[in-house]
Amino acid sequence: MTLKELAASLKLSPTTVSRALNGYPEVNAKTRKRVSDAAEQANYHPNTRAKSLATGRTHAIGHVIPLSDSHEIVNPVFADFIAGAGETYSRNGYEMVLSMVPDADEEQAYRNMIARGAVDGMIVHGPKLNDPRIALLTQLRVPFVVHGRSSGIIAPYSWLDINNKRSFRRATEFLLQLGHRRIALINGLETMDFAMRRRAGYLQALQDAGVPHDPALMRQAEMTEVFGHKAATELMRLPDPPTAFLSSSMLVAYGLRRALVDQNVALGRDVSVITHDDDLSYLPNGNDVPLFTATRSSVREAGRKAAEMLLQQIKSPDRPPETCLMETTLIVGESTGAAPR
């Protein structure tokens, strides 16, 4: 079925049907639903090439993925974010363009993708402090949304982030209320903005409680199970080991738990653990009762929301930058208890 045939069957003009399918606000909601239902029933799909020629848009969103083991973009969390974003793209007739490049070629990859007119917008992953990609994309005048934030950037830009500082401050306060004073932080790479904010929240809670922070209790690296195991093993061998841990991801927490089992230390009784849980589809936090006490926020939902924000920017290029700060929920599981006497 062609667009003209679909329009004729609905006794509407092809222009109205096209605008309804593309979500234009001047077409009322009742008509949009009527057109959408008819298109679905007739298995109608607009010709992508014709649609691009008519609208001047590619209906594609770009994601540049640097190939490196020195930053958090390689974390499996990325897959769930992409799954969430992909749901939004598919629902709105957009496709995803992934460009996998070495670190050194990342800036040129953005320039090439935009110069070719291959995408209508970009999502930026893994922001660092003073991230130069934000200035680059602003200069290139392409719609973009940053998954996370970049401290040090003054100019406004669109971003979606979780409240990392408040999340880890609340988690640290929870452990302090349980009587813990030797609290270790096993963090992600602190060149990454999210990890820097989590560290700031941890330090703020200790300071507010009058508990001096001990640099010997802090570790940072790529968030892997192996890193969690290695860091916890080292920390538990200190002359005055921690009685509690804050972990920046479930992968790290599983490595941490393995280290405690190796040393016959009981999780939740001898040592407490709070982790951040991205609510990943493939890495659940226990069954009915959570294994870990956790600060929880769905990264898949973050992907959906970031994609929605970007598509709104593409539809309305003159709208000001939009921001979204998602709060985490503290879920109490089996991994926390009162500090041992």
Side-chain angles (χ1 to χ4, degrees):
M1 176 177 279
T2 66
L3 178 67
K4 286 185 178 180
E5 290 170 339
L6 178 63
S9 72
L10 293 166
K11 293 183 169 50
L12 295 170
S13 72
T15 300
T16 298
V17 171
S18 176
R19 288 179 175 273
L21 290 171
N22 284 287
Y24 281 81
E26 56 263 36
V27 181
N28 66 55
K30 184 177 179 180
T31 301
R32 286 202 304 269
K33 185 176 189 312
R34 181 180 164 219
V35 171
S36 175
D37 290 347
E40 184 176 353
Q41 187 174 358
N43 196 28
Y44 169 77
H45 299 285
N47 182 288
T48 303
R49 182 173 176 80
K51 191 174 179 182
S52 297
L53 290 171
T55 63
R57 296 176 184 163
T58 65
H59 289 84
I61 303 299
H63 297 255
V64 175
I65 313 304
L67 298 173
S68 170
D69 60 0
S70 63
H71 47 66
E72 300 297 347
I73 198 64
V74 300
N75 193 288
V77 166
F78 176 71
D80 257 37
F81 180 91
I82 286 294
E87 291 174 22
T88 299
Y89 298 152
S90 177
R91 190 169 62 249
N92 289 275
Y94 276 75
E95 297 180 346
M96 189 185 312
V97 177
L98 295 180
S99 180
M100 315 289 285
V101 298
D103 269 11
D105 298 338
E106 187 176 3
E107 179 179 330
Q108 193 58 45
Y110 280 100
R111 291 185 180 277
N112 290 345
M113 195 177 285
I114 294 163
R116 294 198 316 270
V119 296
D120 295 326
M122 309 284 301
I123 287 186
V124 178
H125 300 275
K128 301 180 181 181
L129 308 182
N130 297 300
D131 199 303
R133 294 173 296 175
I134 294 171
L136 173 66
L137 293 175
T138 301
Q139 176 191 348
L140 294 174
R141 300 179 66 82
V142 62
F144 69 94
V145 172
V146 180
H147 180 210
R149 283 177 284 174
S150 177
S151 297
I153 302 292
I154 298 173
Y157 61 94
S158 292
W159 53 260
L160 176 143
D161 197 9
I162 64 172
N163 198 333
N164 286 293
K165 182 175 180 180
R166 181 182 296 176
S167 176
F168 268 53
R169 188 184 74 210
R170 288 176 59 210
T172 308
E173 289 170 348
F174 183 78
L175 292 170
L176 289 165
Q177 289 164 6
L178 291 172
H180 296 278
R181 293 298 180 267
R182 297 284 290 168
I183 302 172
L185 173 66
I186 305 184
N187 204 5
L189 288 166
E190 291 178 0
T191 54
M192 308 300 289
D193 193 89
F194 80 89
M196 178 275 295
R197 292 179 187 274
R198 290 178 182 179
R199 181 178 185 269
Y202 160 79
L203 292 175
Q204 184 67 59
L206 294 178
Q207 180 180 319
D208 291 347
V211 177
H213 76 274
D214 183 352
L217 296 182
M218 301 168 69
R219 297 288 189 278
Q220 58 153 326
E222 189 75 35
M223 296 189 300
T224 64
E225 195 272 351
V226 172
F227 165 55
H229 182 270
K230 180 175 183 289
T233 299
E234 292 173 354
L235 288 162
M236 290 304 294
R237 288 174 178 167
L238 292 174
D240 187 9
T243 64
F245 289 84
L246 281 176
S247 160
S248 244
S249 80
M250 287 288 288
L251 285 172
V252 171
Y254 273 103
L256 195 164
R257 177 172 175 253
R258 181 163 64 89
L260 297 180
V261 169
D262 290 346
Q263 299 185 44
N264 295 316
V265 175
L267 184 68
R269 186 190 68 195
D270 301 326
V271 170
S272 290
V273 174
I274 297 181
T275 187
H276 179 70
D277 177 11
D278 287 295
D279 198 19
L280 300 179
S281 55
Y282 61 89
L283 196 62
N285 183 11
N287 296 314
D288 295 334
V289 179
L291 172 60
F292 292 104
T293 296
T295 59
R296 178 178 294 172
S297 180
S298 169
V299 74
R300 185 174 290 233
E301 180 61 21
R304 294 188 192 104
K305 287 186 175 182
E308 288 166 3
M309 289 168 59
L310 181 56
L311 295 187
Q312 284 301 318
Q313 271 197 49
I314 292 168
K315 285 183 180 179
S316 307
D318 295 330
R319 68 188 289 141
E322 182 181 0
T323 63
C324 177
L325 186 61
M326 301 171 65
E327 298 292 343
T328 63
T329 303
L330 184 65
I331 306 295
V332 179
E334 298 177 338
S335 66
T336 49
R341 295 181 180 275

